[in-house]
C-alpha cells in the first residue's frame, strides 16, 4: 500500500517526513484527497475505457429532444462514451482527455430533468413547510444521504458510468483500509491530532457506505472498532483521559472527530445495538459536543468563532452541526439544540465570507479545500436533516463563483498553489463543487469535478446530479481574472483539455488578511507547458517552526523562513529585502475572450491573447516605480514576462524550477525529462547577469529563531537575473519547445512600456 500520508505536504505527521522529494507543486503528485494510490492507479490507469470517437452518438446529434426524451438520450450518450478521461497524468493526477472532434456528448453544460428514478434522483419526500434547525426528518440517515437516495442509488449506479466507477473505487478503498490497525494516536505538536481525526473520518465514511450497500456486518464491526479506539475504549491507548482526548485546544481536531462519529451514528443508526448507539453518543457528546458548546464562550478553544473568515470557522462549525443533528431527539440535555443556535449564525457571520467577491478563497488555493468541504458538509447536512440551508447558500451571493475560482486555479501542471498548502487532506476533497453545482445550478462545476482524481468518495455518490450532460469546457473562456483587492490574480491558458497546454497563473493582492497562510509574493507566477510545470511554488514550511503563525506583521518571525520570504517566490527582490506587508497593488488586464468549443482539440486563433499587469510599487520601500506584466504571444505559444522598474537598490529577478538549467549568456535552457523550455532576456542592458543558485536563504538574511532549521528544497533551482540599481524594462521571453515548431516559428516581440500594453500592442516583431 502506498505511503499516502505525506502526499500533500511536507509537514510532520504520524509518519516520517520524506526529505528527499522535490518541492511540492512542480515535481510530485498532487494528492488532493487521500485515495489509495494502489486502488486509484489500478482503476484509473489501467481500466478498460470507452474511448471517444468522431462518430460517437452521431445519430443523437441529429435531433434535439426535450423532457424525458432528452434525459434518456443524454443518459444513453453518457453510457456510450463512458468516463471522459482516458486516465490520469501520472505526475499530477489530473485527467487526460482524448483528442476528439465534436460529438453529441461534448455540448453546452446542462441538466435534463427526469422523473425516472433510474436516471435522476426523485424529489425528497421530506418537505417541511416551516423548517427549523431543531426539527429533523423522521427517517435516517439525516446527514447528506437520506434513505430515499439510498433506495435508488443501485439503479443509478447501473446507468451512470461515473457513479459505477466511484462505487467501485469506494469499495476498493474500504477493502484496503479494512485490515489496517485502528488509527494510532499521534500528537503532532501544535498541529495536534488533525491527521488522526481526518483519517478516521475517511475510513468511517468508506466503511459506513460499504455496510449500507451490502448489509455485510464486517463493515459495521470495523467501523465500531475504529470508533471505540478513537474514544479510548480500544486495545491501544488513544490520548489523555478526560475531555482533552480530542484536543480541543486545536479545535479542528475535535470538530473532525465529531463529524466522523456523527456520520457513523447516523448512517448506521438502525444497525447499531442499543448499547453501541449509547456508547457512540456518549463519546461524541463528552469529547465533542460539550467542549464545542463551551468553545463559543472560551477564547482559548473557540477563537475561531470570532471574526475568522476561513477554514477554521467552516470546519469547526460544520463538525459540531453534524454532531448535533445526528443526536437530536436521542439526547435530552439540550446541548444539540444550543449548539445549532450557535453554529448556524456563526457560520453565516464568518465562514461564508471567506469566499471573496470574485469567488476566490481568502486564504489560499489549497485551504479552499478545507474550508469549502466544511461549508458543503454543514449546508448539505442541514438541508437533508431539516429541509433548509438557513442562508448558507445565499447570504454570500458570490458563493456560486467559487467553483470557477477552483477550476481556474487548477492548471495542467497542478494548482497555482500560492501560500501554505496545509496538512494532509484525507477526507477533504474538491467535491463541494458537485454539491454547489447541483443546488446552485452550475452544471459546469459538476462536469469538471467528476473527472478529477479525488471525485470517488461517498459524498460524491449523493452530491452528484446524474442528469448533467455536456462538457465543462464548451463555451468556457480560456482566461479568467479575479480582481478582489485581497487576492488580485489571473489565470490564462491555451486549452482546458490538453495536458500539454500553456498556462500562466500570476498574482498581486494584499499581503495581510489571509489567516496567516500567505507568502510575501506580490508578482508571483507559475508557468506550465508541455505537460509539466516550469515555474512553480514551494508550498508550506514546517508548521511547527517557531513563530511560523505568529502574525502577518512586517517583523513577524514567519517572514524569516525561506518559503515565506520574498526571495522564495517567483518575483522581484530589491536589495534582498522582503516586500512590505502594507502593499496595496492595483491590476489591469485584458483578453481576446477566446472560448473553447465542444471539442477537446482547440485550434487557437493566431490573434488569441491575454495579458495581466500590476503596479507593485507599494510592495517595496526602495522602489520609485515597479510594474510587472505577463502576456501570451504567437497564438498562445509563447509567454512574455516584463518588469518596468526603477529601484535604488540591486534588483534580482527570481524563478524557482525543478528543471535542469543550463545558461548561455543571456539565455537559459530548462530541461525536464525530454521536454525543453528556452528563456531569453530580450535586449539586455549593461550590467545584467543571468545565473542559477540553490533555493535557500541568503547568508546575510536575518537569523532564524533559536534552534530552528529552515525547510530544505532539494531538487529546486533558482534562476536569477540581477541588475544594479537603476531604471529598466526587463523582458524575459519563454519559448516552450513545442513538437513540430522550428525556431523560425517563434516571434520576438517589440519593447512596449507596460502602461501601453493592449491586445494588439505586440503584434509587430
Amino acid at each position: 500500500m502506498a505511503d499516502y500520508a505525506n502526499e500533500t505536504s511536507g509537514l510532520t505527521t504520524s509518519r516520517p517526513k520524506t526529505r528527499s522529494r522535490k518541492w511540492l507543486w512542480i515535481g510530485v503528485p498532487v494528492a488532493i484527497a487521500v485515495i489509495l494510490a494502489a486502488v486509484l492507479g489500478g482503476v484509473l490507469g489501467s481500466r478498460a475505457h470507452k474511448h471517444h470517437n468522431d462518430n460517437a452518438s452521431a445519430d443523437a446529434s441529429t435531433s434535439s429532444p426535450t423532457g424525458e426524451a432528452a434525459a434518456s438520450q443524454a443518459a444513453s450518450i453518457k453510457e456510450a462514451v463512458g468516463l471522459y478521461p482516458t486516465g490520469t497524468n501520472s505526475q499530477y493526477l489530473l485527467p487526460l482527455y482524448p483528442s476528439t472532434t465534436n460529438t453529441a456528448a461534448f455540448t453546452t453544460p446542462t441538466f435534463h430533468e427526469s422523473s425516472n428514478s433510474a436516471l435522476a434522483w426523485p424529489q425528497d419526500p421530506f418537505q417541511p413547510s416551516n423548517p427549523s434547525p431543531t426539527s429533523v426528518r423522521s427517517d435516517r440517515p439525516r446527514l447528506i444521504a437520506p434513505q430515499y437516495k439510498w433506495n435508488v442509488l443501485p439503479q443509478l449506479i447501473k446507468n451512470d458510468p461515473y457513479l459505477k466507477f466511484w462505487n467501485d473505487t469506494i469499495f476498493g478503498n474500504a477493502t484496503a483500509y479494512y485490515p489496517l490497525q485502528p488509527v494510532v494516536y499521534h500528537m503532532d505538536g501544535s498541529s495536534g491530532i488533525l491527521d488522526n481525526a481526518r483519517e478516521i473520518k475517511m475510513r468511517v465514511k468508506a466503511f459506513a457506505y460499504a455496510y449500507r450497500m451490502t448489509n455485510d456486518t464486517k463493515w459495521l464491526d470495523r467501523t465500531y472498532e475504529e470508533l471505540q479506539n478513537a474514544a479510548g475504549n480500544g486495545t491501544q491507548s488513544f490520548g489523555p483521559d478526560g475531555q482533552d482526548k480530542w484536543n480541543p485546544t486545536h479545535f479542528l481536531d475535535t470538530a473532525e472527530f465529531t463529524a466522523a462519529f456523527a456520520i457513523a451514528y447516523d448512517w448506521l443508526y438502525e444497525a447499531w445495538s442499543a448499547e453501541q448507539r449509547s456508547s457512540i453518543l456518549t463519546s461524541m457528546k463528552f469529547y465533542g459536543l460539550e467542549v464545542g458548546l463551551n468553545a463559543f464562550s472560551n477564547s482559548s478553544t473557540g477563537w475561531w468563532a470570532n471574526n475568522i473568515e476561513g477554514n477554521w470557522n467552516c470546519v469547526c462549525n460544520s463538525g459540531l452541526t453534524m454532531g448535533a443533528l445526528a443526536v437530536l431527539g436521542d439526547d435530552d440535555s439540550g446541548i444539540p439544540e444550543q449548539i445549532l443556535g450557535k453554529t448556524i449564525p456563526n457560520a453565516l457571520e464568518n465562514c461564508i465570507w471567506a469566499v471573496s467577491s470574485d469567488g476566490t478563497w481568502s486564504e489560499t488555493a489549497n485551504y479552499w479545500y478545507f474550508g469549502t468541504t466544511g461549508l458543503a458538509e454543514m449546508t448539505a447536512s442541514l438541508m437533508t436533516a431539516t429541509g433548509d440551508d438557513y442562508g448558507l447558500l445565499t447570504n454570500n451571493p458570490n458563493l456560486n463563483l467559487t467553483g470557477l475560482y477552483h477550476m481556474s486555479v487548477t492548471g495542467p501542471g497542478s494548482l497555482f498553489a500560492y501560500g501554505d498548502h496545509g496538512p494532509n487532506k484525507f477526507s477533504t476533497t474538491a467535491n463541494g463543487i458537485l454539491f454547489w453545482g447541483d443546488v446552485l445550478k452550475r452544471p459546469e462545476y459538476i462536469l469538471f469535478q467528476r473527472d478529477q482524481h479525488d471525485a470517488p468518495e461517498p459524498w460524491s455518490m449523493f452530491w452528484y446530479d446524474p442528469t448533467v450532460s455536456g462538457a465543462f469546457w464548451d463555451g468556457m473562456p480560456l482566461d479568467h481574472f479575479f480582481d478582489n483587492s485581497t487576492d488580485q490574480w489571473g489565470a490564462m491558458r491555451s486549452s482546458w483539455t490538453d495536458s500539454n497546454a500553456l498556462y500562466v497563473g500570476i498574482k498581486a493582492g494584499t499581503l495581510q488578511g489571509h489567516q496567516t497562510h500567505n507568502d510575501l509574493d506580490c508578482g508571483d507566477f507559475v508557468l506550465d507547458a508541455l505537460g509539466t510545470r516550469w515555474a512553480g511554488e514551494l508550498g508550506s514550511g514546517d508548521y511547527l517552526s517557531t513563530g511560523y503563525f505568529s502574525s502577518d506583521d512586517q517583523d513577524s518571525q514567519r517572514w524569516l523562513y525561506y518559503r515565506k520570504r520574498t526571495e522564495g517566490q517567483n518575483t522581484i527582490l530589491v536589495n534582498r529585502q522582503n516586500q512590505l506587508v502594507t502593499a496595496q497593488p492595483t491590476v489591469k488586464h485584458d483578453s481576446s475572450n477566446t472560448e473553447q468549443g465542444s471539442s477537446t482539440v482547440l485550434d487557437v486563433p493566431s490573434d488569441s491573447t491575454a495579458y495581466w499587469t500590476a503596479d507593485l510599487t507599494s510592495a517595496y520601500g526602495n522602489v520609485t516605480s515597479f510594474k510587472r506584466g505577463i502576456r501570451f504571444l504567437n497564438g498562445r505559444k509563447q509567454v512574455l514576462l516584463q518588469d518596468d522598474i526603477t529601484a535604488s537598490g540591486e534588483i534580482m529577478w527570481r524563478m524557482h524550477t525543478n528543471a535542469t538549467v543550463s545558461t548561455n549568456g543571456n539565455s537559459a535552457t530548462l530541461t525536464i525529462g525530454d521536454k525543453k523550455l528556452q528563456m531569453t532576456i530580450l535586449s539586455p542592458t549593461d550590467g545584467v547577469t543571468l545565473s542559477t543558485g540553490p533555493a535557500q536563504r541568503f547568508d546575510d538574511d536575518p537569523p532564524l529563531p533559536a534552534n530552528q532549521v529552515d525547510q530544505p528544497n532539494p531538487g529546486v533551482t533558482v534562476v536569477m537575473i540581477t541588475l544594479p540599481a537603476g531604471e529598466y524594462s526587463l523582458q524575459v521571453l519563454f519559448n516552450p519547445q513545442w513538437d513540430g515548431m522550428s525556431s523560425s516559428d517563434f516571434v520576438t516581440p517589440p519593447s512596449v512600456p507596460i502602461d501601453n500594453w493592449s491586445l494588439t500592442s505586440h503584434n509587430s516583431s
Side-chain angles (χ1 to χ4, degrees):
M1 186 184 67
D3 174 12
Y4 53 84
N6 284 307
E7 289 211 70
T8 56
S9 78
L11 309 182
T12 49
T13 69
S14 57
R15 297 165 177 80
K17 292 181 185 179
T18 303
R19 290 290 186 180
S20 62
R21 68 180 43 178
K22 295 181 180 179
W23 50 286
L24 188 70
W25 298 111
I26 297 179
V28 298
V30 182
I32 295 172
V34 181
I35 300 171
L36 290 179
V39 176
L40 182 63
V43 180
L44 259 183
S46 62
R47 66 176 184 266
H49 179 78
K50 297 179 180 179
H51 288 270
H52 308 280
N53 61 75
D54 293 352
N55 297 316
S57 307
D59 292 340
S61 65
T62 61
S63 61
S64 300
T66 58
E68 287 291 349
S72 179
Q73 183 186 86
S76 297
I77 293 171
K78 183 162 49 177
E79 178 62 23
V81 171
L83 306 187
Y84 279 10
T86 57
T88 56
N89 181 301
S90 61
Q91 187 174 20
Y92 302 117
L93 299 183
L94 293 170
L96 297 175
Y97 292 100
S99 297
T100 68
T101 53
N102 296 359
T103 73
F106 303 104
T107 55
T108 304
T110 191
F111 297 107
H112 296 282
E113 292 186 8
S114 174
S115 59
N116 184 348
S117 62
L119 304 177
W121 297 114
Q123 185 181 29
D124 189 346
F126 177 61
Q127 298 288 330
S129 58
N130 188 24
S132 165
T134 57
S135 180
V136 295
R137 65 188 313 130
S138 59
D139 61 336
R140 299 267 187 174
R142 299 170 179 172
L143 305 180
I144 297 176
Q147 183 59 46
Y148 82 93
K149 285 197 170 184
W150 291 99
N151 292 342
V152 300
L153 183 58
Q155 186 62 37
L156 290 175
I157 290 172
K158 290 180 182 179
N159 294 319
D160 190 287
Y162 284 91
L163 288 172
K164 183 180 187 303
F165 169 54
W166 298 343
N167 180 73
D168 291 344
T169 305
I170 294 167
F171 270 94
N173 287 340
T175 300
Y177 306 150
Y178 183 85
L180 302 179
Q181 291 297 311
V183 172
V184 176
Y185 181 92
H186 174 73
M187 176 62 72
D188 190 14
S190 59
S191 293
I193 51 175
L194 184 56
D195 274 3
N196 292 174
R198 285 181 170 147
E199 186 170 4
I200 289 170
K201 181 181 173 186
M202 175 183 71
R203 292 185 184 187
V204 164
K205 287 166 63 178
F207 295 152
Y209 178 88
Y211 173 77
R212 290 195 65 92
M213 292 296 287
T214 64
N215 288 321
D216 187 337
T217 57
K218 80 172 190 178
W219 302 113
L220 185 73
D221 296 340
R222 185 63 183 84
T223 305
Y224 195 64
E225 180 185 17
E226 201 71 57
L227 298 178
Q228 287 293 88
N229 176 69
N233 300 322
T235 58
Q236 62 186 17
S237 173
F238 197 90
D241 294 330
Q243 288 189 306
D244 290 338
K245 183 175 294 294
W246 290 353
N247 196 35
T249 56
H250 190 255
F251 202 85
L252 288 173
D253 312 4
T254 305
E256 293 284 42
F257 275 114
T258 304
F261 272 62
I263 295 161
Y265 185 85
D266 179 58
W267 278 28
L268 305 177
Y269 189 85
E270 289 84 3
W272 298 127
S273 68
E275 181 181 357
Q276 288 174 320
R277 195 180 301 139
S278 176
S279 175
I280 298 168
L281 189 155
T282 298
S283 296
M284 177 167 47
K285 179 181 175 183
F286 185 69
Y287 299 124
L289 298 180
E290 288 182 2
V291 295
L293 183 59
N294 292 335
F296 284 97
S297 57
N298 184 330
S299 60
S300 175
T301 57
W303 61 269
W304 48 268
N306 298 307
N307 300 314
I308 300 299
E309 298 174 359
N311 82 98
W312 269 83
N313 189 274
C314 296
V315 171
C316 293
N317 278 315
S318 177
L320 292 174
T321 297
M322 294 174 74
L325 291 173
V327 301
L328 269 174
D330 291 356
D331 177 79
D332 59 4
S333 66
I335 290 176
E337 292 84 353
Q338 293 178 67
I339 284 178
L340 292 170
K342 300 282 190 182
T343 58
I344 297 172
N346 192 265
L348 289 171
E349 292 175 5
N350 299 289
C351 166
I352 63 172
W353 300 105
V355 176
S356 302
S357 60
D358 55 21
T360 301
W361 190 259
S362 63
E363 292 170 286
T364 70
N366 265 288
Y367 272 92
W368 175 93
Y369 287 87
F370 300 110
T372 57
T373 293
L375 178 56
E377 289 176 343
M378 179 177 180
T379 307
S381 294
L382 283 166
M383 291 175 68
T384 54
T386 75
D388 201 89
D389 67 277
Y390 305 100
L392 291 173
L393 287 176
T394 57
N395 282 22
N396 182 349
N398 305 304
L399 176 63
N400 72 340
L401 299 176
T402 202
L404 181 61
Y405 162 67
H406 175 67
M407 292 169 66
S408 299
V409 87
T410 304
S414 77
L415 292 182
F416 177 19
Y418 52 84
D420 288 340
H421 55 70
N424 299 301
K425 291 188 168 65
F426 291 109
S427 61
T428 301
T429 69
N431 290 327
I433 64 174
L434 293 176
F435 171 66
W436 288 312
D438 179 26
V439 297
L440 298 177
K441 301 306 176 188
R442 298 295 296 256
E444 67 274 23
Y445 295 172
I446 300 174
L447 294 166
F448 175 85
Q449 179 58 21
R450 72 179 186 179
D451 288 341
Q452 306 303 315
H453 80 275
D454 59 339
E457 57 101 21
W459 287 174
S460 302
M461 302 301 294
F462 303 96
W463 285 345
Y464 177 64
D465 186 337
T467 70
V468 72
S469 73
F472 76 84
W473 57 84
D474 187 34
M476 181 66 69
L478 297 180
D479 311 311
H480 288 282
F481 302 106
F482 301 80
D483 290 347
N484 181 276
S485 61
T486 304
D487 311 296
Q488 291 175 323
W489 73 283
M492 302 169 281
R493 68 186 75 215
S494 61
S495 171
W496 281 98
T497 51
D498 183 357
S499 61
N500 292 313
L502 191 57
Y503 172 85
V504 168
I506 189 165
K507 69 178 295 293
T510 60
L511 299 178
Q512 294 179 311
H514 303 274
Q515 305 295 316
T516 323
H517 282 305
N518 62 296
D519 303 335
L520 298 181
D521 62 354
C522 286
D524 185 41
F525 73 99
V526 297
L527 190 154
D528 301 339
L530 304 172
T532 194
R533 176 150 287 180
W534 299 95
E537 297 286 331
L538 294 173
S540 302
D542 188 340
Y543 278 24
L544 303 185
S545 297
T546 299
Y548 190 84
F549 291 118
S550 54
S551 74
D552 57 10
D553 296 336
Q554 192 70 47
D555 61 355
S556 171
Q557 290 178 313
R558 177 179 178 84
W559 313 131
L560 296 174
Y561 298 100
Y562 181 83
R563 293 189 178 190
K564 306 297 104 183
R565 294 177 65 77
T566 302
E567 67 208 56
Q569 319 307 318
N570 299 328
T571 190
I572 290 282
L573 199 62
V574 178
N575 265 353
R576 302 192 178 195
Q577 299 295 307
N578 275 333
Q579 291 176 343
L580 302 178
V581 299
T582 54
Q584 294 288 331
T586 57
V587 298
K588 294 181 180 179
H589 46 76
D590 203 354
S591 168
S592 57
N593 296 317
T594 307
E595 296 182 351
Q596 187 155 342
S598 60
S599 175
T600 58
V601 179
L602 174 61
D603 184 11
V604 179
S606 59
D607 62 348
S608 177
T609 191
Y611 69 86
W612 181 97
T613 70
D615 187 332
L616 304 178
T617 309
S618 62
Y620 297 84
N622 41 17
V623 165
T624 304
S625 175
F626 176 25
K627 294 180 181 179
R628 165 162 277 202
I630 199 164
R631 67 179 301 131
F632 282 144
L633 303 170
N634 198 12
R636 299 179 184 253
K637 296 182 181 70
Q638 299 170 256
V639 172
L640 174 67
L641 177 63
Q642 181 170 319
D643 294 296
D644 292 352
I645 185 168
T646 303
S648 58
E650 179 194 62
I651 300 166
M652 182 182 290
W653 182 104
R654 293 173 68 82
M655 185 187 85
H656 295 71
T657 184
N658 273 347
T660 299
V661 184
S662 61
T663 61
N664 182 12
N666 294 309
S667 67
T669 301
L670 282 63
T671 304
I672 297 179
D674 62 350
K675 306 298 183 183
K676 295 183 183 297
L677 178 142
Q678 191 79 22
M679 57 172 287
T680 304
I681 304 172
L682 301 179
S683 303
T685 59
D686 292 340
V688 65
T689 61
L690 174 65
S691 62
T692 62
Q696 63 188 38
R697 287 163 36 94
F698 297 127
D699 292 339
D700 57 354
D701 278 347
L704 292 170
N707 302 316
Q708 294 300 295
V709 177
D710 208 5
Q711 193 85 1
N713 301 298
V716 182
T717 296
V718 184
V719 182
M720 296 170 285
I721 301 171
T722 55
L723 289 160
E727 180 179 358
Y728 304 95
S729 181
L730 175 61
Q731 293 178 295
V732 180
L733 182 65
F734 296 94
N735 292 341
Q737 300 302 291
W738 306 101
D739 290 342
M741 190 169 175
S742 67
S743 58
S744 62
D745 294 324
F746 291 99
V747 301
T748 301
S751 178
V752 179
I754 288 176
D755 282 342
N756 295 335
W757 278 20
S758 69
L759 292 178
T760 59
S761 58
H762 290 68
N763 285 358
S764 60
S765 59

